[in-house]
Amino acid sequence: MATLSLAGCNRHQSALAPFGVEASSTRDLTIILLIGAVVIAVAMSLLIRHAIRTPGERLTHRQGMKLVLWAGGVVPTILLFTLLVTSLPAMRPLPTSRADLTINVEGEQFWWRVAYRPPNAARVVSANEVRVPVGRTVALKLMGGDVIHSFWIPGLAGKMDMIPGRTNTLVVRATKPGRFRGVCTEFCGLSHALMAFDVVAMEPAAFDRWLAAEAKPAAGGNALFAQYGCGGCHAIRGTGEAGAIGPDLTHFGARQTLAAGVLPMTTANVASFIRHPEKTKPGVRMPAFDHMPPADAVALARYLQGLK
Amino acid sequence: MTLRITWKRVAATLFTLFAAGMLFAWSGLFNVAASSGHWPVTDWFLHWVMRNSVKTHAAFSAPDDPRAQQELVSAAGHFAGACASCHGAPGRRPSPVMQAATPPAPDLAVNAKEWTDKQLFWILQHGVKYSGMPAWGAPERPDEIRRMVAFVRRLPTMSVAEYRSLTEAAAGAGVAGVKDGVLAGCAGCHGADGRGRGQPDIPVLGGQRPEYLLAALDAYAQGQRHSAVMGNAAAALSADEMRALAGHFAAMPGIGTNAPAGSAAAQRIVEKGLPEIQLPACASCHAAGKGYPVLNGQRASYIAQRLRQWRGEKEVVDARKSHATMPVIARRIPAEMIDPLATYLAGGQQ
Ligand SMILES: [Cu+2]
């Protein structure tokens, strides 16, 4: 049991290891509440012990009533009120301005459609990975593409539902760079548990360079990709493949995980995912390509991984 | 003297009877020879059991539309290839080898009249235990069984000439490496021109990609593509014959030349798909230069039938159905668009 619960202690997907403003204040609040709860529990135990050991009739009726009034009414009210007042600021979203970066994230069964909307440049489409600049405020516009999903990056901020036909806004600010992980936290179908994504917090200059590279078209097309009709669902900008049903693959090779944070990005994994995605993700919306010879799948995987 | 029945005695008697039965079976004295046939009483009893069983099961599990309407060629061809050796056919006596079985296969020109369509459907679908009557080769294809029910129904009144015209067609020139009899078999259903003799359930082979025809023959023979009719036709072909026949039919004029025509909604699905319901454009795969079968000019009824078959039963959840490319895509096509799509791809005609 202990080892099992220790498995929860990781740095890349944990609300106790925050890398953002909101998650930090949530963590601080959690710690204050925890300490308070322990202090109160100890105090109560001592009081009970004292009450049991003391012979009866030590307090008059009047004194007893007074004790109940103070210890049971006035002190808890003051405590709870202080708590409310100190935690209210944590509930207010960070202020945003027009100059801030907006990122649209749309939950789909069982992956994430991501589009960066920098203030003065064209939008950049990507998938299954969210990158944020450290120290800058970012507004995440969350939507549900098909069913209800929920977006949670434990180290950055609280959860927020993604509801079809509605846009929910979550404002975040990362405080330290690194590679983290987010997950879907609303049951959305057979592969709900296999719907995660990478989160990369980058120094602002590196982020700007990365976004400029991400905005560029892909290095080149591929005959097999065209021949197998993958472009009916996937877009690779600059090659004429413009499907919008599945994840954008323009810079697929630059992602570190495959299939929404589920598999390490290796050639063997990509090739077997292309032929039988349903073996990795039950109920996946991409059909199997079992008529494809394995050698073609490997060639396709190499091409896709080359799209940095 | 009175014999008192006690539990002990009942048990001892039952056990003795069982032991005697087992001893008889073990001794080998029972005669399983087909040559001796059944005693008349056994024969009557077995048929009585079979008839009751068919009636009861057909009433509960056969579909309400057990018979197809017009298409008889593929059923007749299948009958000639898979049933006639046992049952005989108009102008053809059953094989004497098969008639020496117990029970011998009945003459369907006589017996077909004794059954309703639903009962015939049930017999063809499931076969008959303890007799030679086999179950349908592809349980996934009730449409094939319906066509066979229609054919068997016609047998009592079918003339020899009519049967011949259904099962035979001029085979045309031979193909190197393929016996003439084999090619004639294909032509009986597909026609010497590979156009399918105007039958709604038989695809046009001419103009199709040879690699696809070859893969289809292989899949039929392996049982990966479900069809009792083509499964039987392809089972005996060697790899070389398959290649030769695929090349032979693909090289004929047929599909792929006429432009699609019909409803604008169907055109939209073919050219752009319906991204809002995750249906990719058919043309992203089915287009010149890609490795997929040619659809333009194919028979509309055949296209619609394949799409419906891929969609499967409404009662089965998607997670239990095939995840192969076309089944997944066919399930995303709106039900009311299947026929318009098929007609559009066929070039406007049925
Ligand atoms: Cu989910």
Side-chain angles (χ1 to χ4, degrees):
Chain A
M1 265 321 268
T3 39
L4 238 154
S5 50
L6 276 179
C9 296
N10 63 58
R11 314 235 97 233
H12 64 278
Q13 184 186 326
S14 169
L16 297 177
F19 67 98
V21 176
E22 195 189 310
S24 300
S25 63
T26 312
R27 193 223 14 210
D28 295 348
L29 197 62
T30 310
I31 290 174
I32 292 173
L33 283 178
L34 192 70
I35 294 173
V38 170
V39 168
I40 292 174
V42 170
M44 285 311 292
S45 315
L46 291 178
L47 259 175
I48 291 171
R49 200 180 111 110
H50 180 70
I52 293 173
R53 298 203 160 183
T54 316
E57 309 294 326
R58 273 285 297 273
L59 292 182
T60 62
H61 181 73
R62 244 185 99 79
Q63 284 170 318
M65 291 313 278
K66 226 176 183 174
L67 184 68
V68 170
L69 175 69
W70 282 98
V74 176
V75 173
T77 309
I78 293 172
L79 265 177
L80 286 175
F81 188 75
T82 327
L83 221 96
L84 178 71
V85 170
T86 49
S87 61
L88 269 182
M91 288 173 70
R92 196 175 48 209
L94 294 170
T96 50
S97 78
R98 288 175 165 279
D100 290 331
L101 169 70
T102 302
I103 307 178
N104 289 5
V105 185
E106 211 171 317
E108 301 265 353
Q109 282 176 326
F110 303 98
W111 60 282
W112 313 85
R113 213 183 268 284
V114 183
Y116 298 83
R117 289 163 51 204
N120 300 315
R123 91 199 230 130
V124 179
V125 178
S126 179
N128 290 338
E129 186 189 68
V130 172
R131 295 198 180 220
V132 287
V134 169
R136 289 191 201 155
T137 305
V138 176
L140 294 160
K141 303 274 178 197
L142 307 178
M143 286 158 283
D146 39 25
V147 297
I148 300 180
H149 302 269
S150 187
F151 180 91
W152 191 27
I153 306 175
L156 187 60
K159 316 179 184 183
M160 194 170 277
D161 277 2
M162 307 175 110
I163 299 166
R166 226 193 109 95
T167 305
N168 288 338
T169 306
L170 180 69
V171 184
V172 300
R173 194 184 313 133
T175 48
K176 67 177 191 215
R179 214 162 238 294
F180 306 92
R181 192 165 180 269
V183 287
C184 175
T185 54
E186 179 70 54
F187 181 76
C188 59
L190 280 182
S191 277
H192 161 64
L194 299 169
M195 179 171 172
F197 57 101
D198 286 348
V199 183
V200 188
M202 304 171 86
E203 294 298 351
F207 177 84
D208 290 340
R209 257 179 278 123
W210 170 81
L211 190 60
E214 189 74 5
K216 292 210 179 86
N222 177 275
L224 286 174
F225 195 88
Q227 186 195 316
Y228 280 108
C230 313
C233 292
H234 294 286
I236 299 185
R237 288 196 303 278
T239 66
E241 308 285 6
I245 294 169
D248 184 293
L249 299 177
T250 308
H251 297 289
F252 172 76
R255 290 177 212 153
Q256 292 211 341
T257 58
L258 166 67
V262 169
L263 292 175
M265 182 70 82
T266 65
T267 308
N269 282 348
V270 178
S272 76
F273 183 83
I274 292 172
R275 293 188 70 236
H276 281 292
E278 81 284 10
K279 290 198 176 150
T280 306
K281 299 180 93 165
V284 66
R285 304 293 292 172
M286 166 161 158
F289 281 79
D290 48 358
H291 55 278
M292 181 187 293
D296 282 5
V298 171
L300 263 172
R302 292 232 167 84
Y303 160 68
L304 290 173
Q305 280 186 289
L307 298 174
K308 298 282 184 196
Chain B
M1 189 186 88
T2 51
L3 195 65
R4 279 204 320 126
I5 301 178
T6 64
W7 283 116
K8 253 189 199 160
R9 287 188 183 153
V10 170
T13 314
L14 285 178
F15 179 76
T16 315
L17 282 175
F18 173 74
M22 289 305 284
L23 190 68
F24 179 64
W26 173 79
S27 72
L29 290 176
F30 177 74
N31 189 355
V32 298
S35 59
S36 60
H38 289 306
W39 293 336
V41 58
T42 320
D43 205 34
W44 170 85
F45 178 73
L46 290 176
H47 269 91
W48 183 69
V49 171
M50 178 257 191
R51 266 158 213 281
N52 295 336
S53 167
V54 171
K55 280 181 194 154
T56 305
H57 281 90
F60 286 109
S61 71
D64 290 327
D65 52 340
R67 179 152 58 100
Q69 294 310 318
Q70 74 291 52
E71 55 267 33
L72 287 180
V73 165
S74 64
H78 186 52
F79 192 87
C83 323
S85 58
C86 282
H87 286 284
R92 176 171 165 195
R93 288 151 54 76
S95 140
V97 176
M98 293 306 192
Q99 281 297 302
T102 296
D107 180 357
L108 295 179
V110 178
N111 276 33
K113 286 183 253 177
E114 294 177 17
W115 302 103
T116 65
D117 287 345
K118 278 180 85 157
Q119 289 162 354
L120 279 179
F121 185 98
W122 193 89
I123 295 175
L124 294 179
Q125 184 178 26
H126 297 286
V128 181
K129 241 180 226 173
Y130 310 126
S131 79
M133 177 61 198
W136 197 254
E140 302 82 359
R141 295 296 299 264
D143 59 315
E144 292 186 335
I145 305 178
R146 282 193 185 91
R147 290 191 271 275
M148 187 59 93
V149 170
F151 175 79
V152 172
R153 187 49 75 233
R154 292 283 300 281
L155 272 175
T157 55
M158 190 175 283
S159 69
V160 176
E162 196 186 345
Y163 179 69
R164 285 251 168 83
S165 77
L166 283 175
T167 53
E168 291 168 25
V175 180
V178 179
K179 286 187 262 355
D180 284 351
V182 172
L183 184 60
C186 310
C189 285
H190 288 282
D193 59 1
R195 286 184 188 271
R197 301 186 62 191
Q199 293 290 305
D201 60 322
I202 305 185
V204 180
L205 302 182
Q208 186 53 275
R209 297 179 57 251
E211 300 86 348
Y212 172 67
L213 294 185
L214 177 59
L217 286 172
D218 199 47
Y220 284 130
Q222 312 270 344
Q224 286 157 356
R225 181 164 165 188
H226 306 298
S227 163
V229 173
M230 269 311 295
N232 190 52
L237 299 178
S238 68
D240 288 337
E241 282 175 321
M242 284 187 192
R243 197 166 303 110
L245 285 166
H248 169 72
F249 283 112
M252 294 176 169
I255 55 177
T257 49
N258 31 356
S263 91
Q267 179 176 10
R268 169 147 187 258
I269 292 181
V270 171
E271 290 172 3
K272 302 210 161 63
L274 298 174
E276 60 278 18
I277 54 166
Q278 304 189 329
L279 176 65
C282 312
S284 59
C285 289
H286 296 282
K290 311 217 169 189
Y292 293 104
V294 180
L295 300 182
N296 286 351
Q298 186 55 275
R299 212 180 294 286
S301 47
Y302 168 76
I303 295 179
Q305 168 201 309
R306 283 217 79 188
L307 292 176
R308 291 214 164 85
Q309 209 197 313
W310 276 317
R311 292 163 71 89
E313 306 290 330
K314 266 207 307 288
E315 293 74 24
V316 182
V317 295
D318 281 5
R320 299 206 182 281
K321 292 180 180 168
S322 165
H323 207 83
T325 318
M326 269 316 290
V328 167
I329 288 171
R331 290 200 291 272
R332 291 184 193 171
I333 303 175
E336 72 282 2
M337 284 312 296
I338 301 257
D339 287 319
L341 246 182
T343 310
Y344 173 78
L345 289 165
Q349 332 96 347
Q350 273 308 302

